Amino acid sequence: MTTLTIDGAEITVEPGSTVMQACVQAGKEIPHFCYHDRLSIAGNCRMCLVEMERSPKPIASCAMPAADGMVIRTDTEQVKKAREGVMEFLLINHPLDCPICDQGGECDLQDQAMAYGRHFSRFDEGKRAVRDKDVGPLIETIMTRCIHCTRCIRFADEIAGVEEFGAVFRGEHMEIGTYVEKAVSSELSGNMIDLCPVGALTSKPYAFVARSWELHTTETVDVLDAVGSNIRVDARGTEVLRVVPRLHDEINEEWLSDKSRFAYDGLRRRRLDRCYVRRNGALEAASWAEAFDAISSAAKGLKGDQIAALAGDMADCEAMTALADLMGVLGSPHLDCRQDGAKLDPTSRASYLFNSTIAGIEEADAILLIGTNPRWEASLVNARIRKRWRRGGLKVGVIGPQVDLTYPYHHLGDGPESLATLAKGGHAFADVLKMAERPMLIVGQGALARPDGAAVLAHARAVADASGMVSDGWNGFNVLHSAAARVGGLDLGFVPGEGGRDTAAICEGACEGSIRLLYLLGADELGLARPEDCFVVYQGHHGDAGARIADVILPGAAYTEKHGTYVNLEGRPQRAYPATAPLGEAREDWRILRALSAHLGKPLAYDTLDELRARMVERAPALAAIDEITPAPWGDFGTDGAVDEASFASPIGDFYLTDPITRASATMAECSAAFVSAAEEARADG
Amino acid sequence: MTDKAGNGAGTFAFTPENRAKADAVIAKYPAGCQASAVLPLLDLAQRQNGGWISQAVMEHVAGLLDMASIRVYEVATFYTMLNLEPVGRYHVQLCRTTPCWLRGSDALRDACRDELGVGLGDTTEDGLFTLTEVECLGACVNAPMVQINDDFYEDLDPARMKEILRACKAGDPPSPGPQTGRQTSAPSSGPTTLTEL
C-alpha cells in the first residue's frame, strides 16, 4: 500500500494508483478531460494539474503514479492558476457556441469552464476552424469544437478494436480524423459520443431534438439483445428521445451497443396502438371488447390440444407467466419460447445459461467459440472478450463463421464435425483447453437452432467435460443467447408440456389444421405464412411479421412502456420500468392476458403486478433475486446423436435489423445500408 | 484525405532493392515492434515515389509493418519532410526562421518567385520546381540558405539564388555548401585559427 498526503490529510491507496485516483479517493475533485478510467492514460489535456512538494511546476495527476511520502496539494493558488491557464488555452480554439451546441447542458468543458476557468479570455486573434468529418449515420461531428483529448481514438483502438481514428497533422493544425473518410465500422461507435467531453462528437439522430434538462429519465434495461445492458431512457412527454448506457460493471460496464442505443426511433414507427380484427380478409380497427369477443368465439369449443402459444424474443417474464398460466387453464401443453427452434434443454438450467458470467470472461485463459459471432449476437460480451485478450495470455478458438472479432483467433473448422473431433481430443486446441486454468466455451444459437442442435449441445458438453471446464467455483460452459426473453422463458417453463409441441410442430400444426388457435406473444421471427384453418392472435407492439398473419391484433407495450422482468443470458433477472405510457389503447402485456382470461371465463389468479410476480417466482425461483445470479448446478443435458455436415452460421444476418423495433427504425435502416450492405457489396466486388 | 487531389491514384510497391533495404531496417527492431520502422520506410518510399507519399504508399507501408493505415497517416502528416502532395524534381525549401530572415531570406523568396514564376507551396508547370517555406534547417551560421532536395545551399544572395535555379533547370545543379567560397562554417572573413591547415 502507498501512503501519501493530500491537502494535509494522509491517505493510503492501492499500489499502482495514480495521484488522481488517490485524490479522488480522498474526496478531492480533480477536473479532467482526457483521462478516463477505462481507457489508457494520455495526459494531454493538462486539466488535472496539482501541486507536488519539491516539484518546481505542477504535475499532471492522471499520469503520475502515487508514491510513498508524496505531498500533494489540490487547493493552492498555484493549482487554481494552473487550471485557469489550461482552461484559457483549451478555450482559445474552442468556439463559444454553447447555445447552438447539442452538448450544452451536459458538457464537461462548459461545466469545468464555469467551475475552474476565468470569466474572460485574453485571446483576440482569429480562432481556427476545422472541417467536419463524415463518420457515418450515427455520429455528428463538429470538429472545430474538438479539444484533442483523444478519448475517441483510444476508445476505437482499445475497446472497439477498430483502428480507424487518429490524430493527423500536428501542433496547432492537429485534427481528429480517419484515414480515408468513411463511416466508423464499429458496433460500439455510439460510446464515443458519451466519451467526447465536448460537443465535437454528438448523436446524429438526436441532433437538435432536446436539451438535457427537458428530459425525464428512467433507469431500465435493454432488450434488443440478451446481454441485459443497463440503460437510461430519456423521454419528453410520450416520446423516447434517446437511450444512453448506465454503469453496471458486471454487464455492460459503461458501454452500449449501437443497436440498443439508436433503435429507439423504431418505437415511434409502425406501432400497434389499437385492436384490430380481421373481417372479410382485411384487418379492421376494433375495440378491446370486439377483439376479445372475436377471440372467445374462436376459442369456443376448442380442446386444449388445439390451442398453442409462442412467445417472442422481447416478451417480459410477467407476460410469459400470464400466458403460460392461461395455456394451463385452457388445457394446452403446446407452448414454446424458442421461436428460432434452438434445441435448448429447459430441464437443466446450466445447459442454457452463460454460466461463467460476463465479468467471468476476464478470468478465462482459453475460449472456444462455437457457431457464434459474438460481435453481432452480444456486442458487449465480445467487448469483454477483447478486454480480456488485451491483457494478454488469452487463446481463442473458433468453430463456425470466420469473421473479424476484433481479436485474433485460431479457426478450427466450420461445422459440427470439427466440434466432434475436438471433443475426442483430435485437435491441438483440445490440449490448449485442457492446459488452461479457466477454460470456457461459448455456444451460439447458430449451433443450436438446427435439426442436430441437441447433438451439438451434447458435443459441446463433452468438450466441457473433457477439458475440465466445470470445477469448484468455475463453470466454463456458456450458451450465448441473442434474444432477451429466452432465458426468462426457459426459467419460467414456457416450453412444451407433456405431449406438447415445440415451435416447429406448432407452426406445422397451424398450417395443417390440428392447431386451431395460435397465440403469438410478440413472436415475429417464425417465417410463418397466414395459416388457413388456424385463428391467429397476435399480441405485440409493432406491425411486423406476426401482425400480418393475425386474425386479431392486441396492442401491447414496448420495453420502454411497461414494468417488466427480463433475465439476461447470465440468468440475471433485472427489472424494466416504463419511461412513457403505452401508445394509444395499448396496455401492459400481462394486463391484456389477465383481462382476456376473464373474458374467456377462466380468470387468472392475480390482479396486481405484485401478485403476478409472486406467481412468477413460484414458477421460477431464480427470478426472486433481482440483479443477482443464482448459479445453476451442473446436470445432464444434450442428446447424443449424429450431426449434420452443414457449417454453423450466425443466427444474425444483419446486426442492425433483428427484431420488430429495429426493423421499424430509420436509423437502423441507414446503418444497415452503410455498414452491412456496403460490406456485402465490397465482398461481392472483391 | 480524399480531398487531396490525386492522392488516391496509383499503386505502389517497393522495388526489390528498396524492399531489401526496408527488410534491413525492419530487422533492426525486435519482433513485434516492426512498426518502429515506419519513418525510415516512409522516407525510402518517398524517394522511390518521386518525392511524395501517396495513399498507395501509406497502404503499402502499413501492410508491410502490419499497422493500421491511420497510424501511418498520423506519422506522415506529423513530419513536414514527408510530402503528401506531388513535388517537382527540385524541391526548394526556403528557410525563413529568424537568423535567415535577418540575413535576407525575404529577398531570396522574392528571387525564387521571380525566377520560377510560382508562389510558395506551388509547383512550376513543367514539374521541375516546388517552392516551399520551412522553419529552421539548422544552418544558421551560413544564413540565408535553402535546401534543394537533400542538399543545402548556403550563404546565398538573390543573384546567386537565381543562378542556382537556372543551373538546376539546365539539369546541372551546382555543388552544394557555401556559395561564397567560404570554407564550411568558418568565419566569413576567413579562418582566424589553424590558418596553416
Side-chain angles (χ1 to χ4, degrees):
Chain A
M1 299 303 267
T2 309
T3 304
L4 64 166
T5 311
I6 294 170
D7 290 346
E10 266 201 2
I11 182 158
T12 306
V13 297
E14 289 283 319
S17 300
T18 62
V19 171
M20 182 193 269
Q21 284 164 336
C23 289
V24 169
Q25 205 177 316
K28 307 290 170 192
E29 187 181 273
I30 306 291
H32 59 272
F33 296 107
C34 71
Y35 175 80
H36 190 278
D37 47 5
R38 292 181 206 278
L39 302 175
S40 62
I41 293 170
N44 54 14
C45 78
R46 315 311 289 178
M47 195 60 202
C48 64
L49 295 177
V50 297
E51 205 179 316
M52 181 172 74
E53 197 179 71
R54 291 196 298 278
S55 163
K57 51 186 186 172
I59 56 159
S61 59
C62 73
M64 176 68 82
D68 265 323
M70 262 184 179
V71 179
I72 302 292
R73 299 220 60 106
T74 69
D75 54 359
T76 60
E77 193 54 36
Q78 191 198 21
V79 171
K80 182 171 178 288
K81 226 176 124 190
R83 288 171 179 168
E84 285 175 353
V86 169
M87 183 55 76
E88 200 175 350
F89 271 120
L90 286 173
L91 290 178
I92 275 183
N93 277 320
H94 187 87
L96 301 183
D97 61 353
C98 305
I100 56 154
C101 174
D102 253 337
Q103 193 87 352
E106 47 185 2
C107 173
D108 286 356
L109 187 63
Q110 196 179 33
D111 294 348
Q112 293 184 27
M114 292 298 289
Y116 300 103
R118 286 199 190 92
H119 62 283
F120 64 93
S121 167
R122 289 168 289 182
F123 185 74
D124 318 317
E125 290 82 356
K127 289 177 184 254
R128 75 169 194 155
V130 179
R131 209 171 53 87
D132 294 340
K133 314 287 187 293
D134 181 4
V135 294
L138 299 177
I139 303 179
E140 177 81 46
T141 65
I142 300 99
M143 297 315 285
T144 305
R145 294 183 189 141
C146 176
I147 58 167
H148 310 115
C149 69
T150 69
R151 277 186 186 178
C152 52
I153 302 178
R154 284 175 282 147
F155 176 84
D157 287 2
E158 295 163 16
I159 312 287
V162 290
E163 269 193 278
E164 289 177 356
F165 268 49
V168 297
F169 300 103
R170 69 165 169 188
E172 143 103 293
H173 302 287
M174 176 175 162
E175 288 179 22
I176 302 296
T178 49
Y179 175 60
V180 283
E181 192 155 294
K182 61 174 245 177
V184 48
S185 57
S186 169
E187 68 292 344
L188 298 172
S189 66
N191 296 299
M192 290 184 200
I193 297 168
D194 292 343
L195 284 172
C196 183
V198 297
L201 306 180
T202 55
S203 166
K204 216 173 230 180
Y206 177 69
F208 307 125
V209 169
R211 284 303 197 182
S212 59
W213 54 86
E214 302 170 331
L215 304 168
H216 67 89
T217 64
T218 308
E219 302 200 335
T220 181
V221 294
D222 171 61
V223 303
L224 298 179
D225 57 27
V227 175
S229 301
N230 284 213
I231 55 170
R232 198 187 79 207
V233 175
D234 288 354
R236 187 175 55 189
T238 58
E239 250 186 314
V240 172
L241 295 183
R242 67 172 174 182
V243 172
V244 290
R246 251 183 328 131
L247 187 71
H248 195 309
D249 272 329
E250 284 165 34
I251 303 175
N252 56 318
E253 301 191 271
E254 60 190 82
W255 318 125
L256 192 60
S257 81
D258 286 353
K259 179 163 61 178
S260 306
R261 183 190 294 265
F262 290 110
Y264 61 83
D265 68 322
L267 293 169
R268 295 201 286 272
R269 295 188 173 82
R270 280 200 231 158
R271 287 300 299 272
L272 301 172
D273 59 352
R274 67 185 67 175
C275 298
Y276 288 87
V277 174
R278 195 177 290 274
R279 296 190 186 107
N280 306 323
L283 285 164
E284 289 174 18
S287 69
W288 278 103
E290 289 168 323
F292 280 1
D293 282 343
I295 298 170
S296 52
S297 55
K300 194 166 281 173
L302 290 187
K303 291 200 292 285
D305 194 40
Q306 294 171 304
I307 302 172
L310 290 169
D313 291 349
M314 292 188 289
D316 52 304
C317 289
E318 284 79 357
M320 284 192 285
T321 304
L323 183 54
D325 284 347
L326 180 61
M327 286 297 122
V329 295
L330 292 174
S332 164
H334 309 311
L335 64 167
D336 204 341
C337 64
R338 298 160 296 185
Q339 59 167 336
D340 55 359
K343 301 288 184 291
L344 294 158
D345 185 347
T347 56
S348 165
R349 196 163 186 251
S351 76
Y352 60 81
L353 287 190
F354 200 93
N355 294 295
S356 308
T357 75
I358 296 173
I361 292 171
E362 293 187 34
E363 291 169 38
D365 46 4
I367 299 178
L368 174 66
L369 300 173
I370 304 166
T372 178
N373 172 6
R375 199 173 169 188
W376 277 11
E377 289 163 41
S379 308
L380 292 162
V381 168
N382 198 55
R384 220 34 113 109
I385 300 175
R386 180 174 162 81
K387 183 182 181 189
R388 171 66 193 85
W389 170 77
R390 269 179 60 80
R391 227 173 59 220
L394 177 71
K395 291 201 176 73
V396 182
V398 167
I399 299 178
Q402 285 194 68
V403 290
D404 177 9
L405 292 175
T406 72
Y407 43 85
Y409 56 81
H410 304 277
H411 188 246
L412 313 176
D414 294 313
E417 73 286 354
S418 311
L419 183 63
T421 318
L422 188 73
K424 290 192 208 94
H427 195 289
F429 202 77
D431 298 328
V432 171
L433 290 173
K434 274 198 194 90
M435 302 294 283
E437 217 160 281
R438 292 278 166 103
M440 63 188 274
L441 65 79
I442 300 175
V443 191
Q445 300 305 298
L448 301 177
R450 42 191 272 152
D452 60 351
V456 171
L457 193 66
H459 280 308
R461 193 208 147 92
V463 171
D465 283 336
S467 26
M469 284 191 189
V470 184
S471 57
D472 280 347
W474 178 255
N475 187 339
F477 182 87
N478 300 293
V479 172
L480 190 75
H481 291 273
S482 48
R486 197 71 84 248
V487 174
L490 293 166
D491 279 354
L492 289 165
F494 201 100
V495 288
E498 201 125 322
R501 296 161 178 261
D502 66 3
T503 302
I506 289 172
C507 290
E508 205 184 288
C511 292
E512 65 175 32
S514 50
I515 297 290
R516 303 294 301 279
L517 176 65
L518 175 59
Y519 201 102
L520 301 177
L521 178 64
D524 288 285
E525 322 294 330
L526 298 164
L528 186 66
R530 194 160 89 83
E532 297 264 320
D533 297 324
C534 179
F535 190 85
V536 179
V537 180
Y538 178 79
Q539 177 182 339
H541 42 76
H542 273 76
D544 204 80
R548 271 199 287 281
I549 59 169
D551 294 290
V552 168
I553 293 175
L554 304 176
Y559 69 107
T560 53
E561 296 157 9
K562 61 185 166 190
H563 291 275
T565 306
Y566 291 94
V567 187
N568 84 343
L569 45 74
E570 305 167 290
R572 181 196 301 270
Q574 298 189 97
R575 291 263 199 258
Y577 296 93
T580 61
L583 227 61
E585 290 173 26
R587 293 290 179 270
E588 285 194 326
D589 292 270
W590 76 269
R591 289 178 194 278
I592 298 173
L593 288 156
R594 172 67 185 77
L596 178 63
S597 71
H599 202 87
L600 294 172
K602 297 186 173 162
L604 296 171
Y606 24 81
D607 296 324
T608 64
L609 190 60
D610 287 342
E611 286 169 22
L612 167 61
R613 282 182 174 163
R615 168 69 185 143
M616 189 173 87
V617 170
E618 210 175 287
R619 287 190 77 108
L623 268 55
I626 294 302
D627 198 24
E628 277 173 36
I629 296 173
T630 314
W634 190 238
D636 267 335
F637 58 82
T639 322
D640 283 326
V643 289
D644 289 348
E645 281 181 5
S647 302
F648 295 135
S650 173
I652 295 182
D654 185 337
F655 171 70
Y656 298 98
L657 302 173
T658 51
D659 51 73
I661 297 178
T662 48
R663 281 193 290 264
S665 157
T667 313
M668 289 296 104
E670 265 183 71
C671 286
S672 173
F675 301 110
V676 182
S677 310
E680 271 163 21
E681 272 166 34
R683 253 200 305 280
D685 290 346
Chain B
M1 59 165 288
T2 39
D3 53 329
K4 301 261 163 57
N7 236 5
T11 55
F12 179 86
F14 277 126
T15 59
E17 303 83 72
N18 280 343
R19 178 61 202 257
K21 283 186 199 166
D23 288 340
V25 175
I26 294 169
K28 288 180 188 169
Y29 301 98
C33 300
Q34 74 281 10
S36 300
V38 65
L39 265 181
L41 258 62
L42 281 175
D43 178 56
L44 202 59
Q46 174 165 285
R47 286 167 195 283
Q48 182 185 321
N49 195 46
W52 72 293
I53 307 256
S54 64
Q55 193 177 324
V57 167
M58 284 187 273
E59 271 153 29
H60 182 69
V61 170
L64 220 52
L65 299 178
D66 195 19
M67 297 167 80
S69 306
I70 179 70
R71 297 281 96 89
V72 179
Y73 186 48
E74 283 180 321
V75 171
T77 53
F78 188 88
Y79 291 100
T80 53
M81 289 161 91
L82 300 173
N83 303 311
L84 293 171
E85 282 167 275
V87 292
R89 191 195 308 163
Y90 300 102
H91 186 192
V92 182
Q93 303 179 63
L94 270 160
C95 178
R96 64 160 184 203
T97 307
T98 319
C100 281
W101 174 66
L102 286 170
R103 298 275 291 155
S105 68
D106 283 353
L108 289 191
R109 182 189 61 207
D110 294 341
C112 290
R113 273 192 193 147
D114 291 350
E115 182 61 33
L116 300 174
V118 293
L120 295 172
D122 291 339
T123 303
T124 53
E125 269 176 31
D126 55 10
L128 273 182
F129 293 95
T130 297
L131 182 64
T132 52
E133 253 187 349
V134 296
E135 301 301 341
C136 186
L137 290 170
C140 311
V141 177
N142 298 72
M145 58 80 67
V146 304
Q147 180 180 354
I148 300 179
N149 295 346
D150 287 338
D151 297 323
F152 279 15
Y153 292 86
E154 300 158 336
D155 296 322
L156 295 169
D157 56 37
R160 181 63 190 150
M161 185 74 240
K162 286 186 179 180
E163 278 172 30
I164 292 171
L165 291 176
R166 271 181 222 129
C168 287
K169 201 172 203 167
D172 182 27
S175 28
Q179 302 295 310
T180 51
R182 172 184 182 179
Q183 182 196 346
T184 64
S185 52
S188 53
S189 51
T192 52
T193 54
L194 302 175
T195 46
E196 303 292 307
L197 205 67

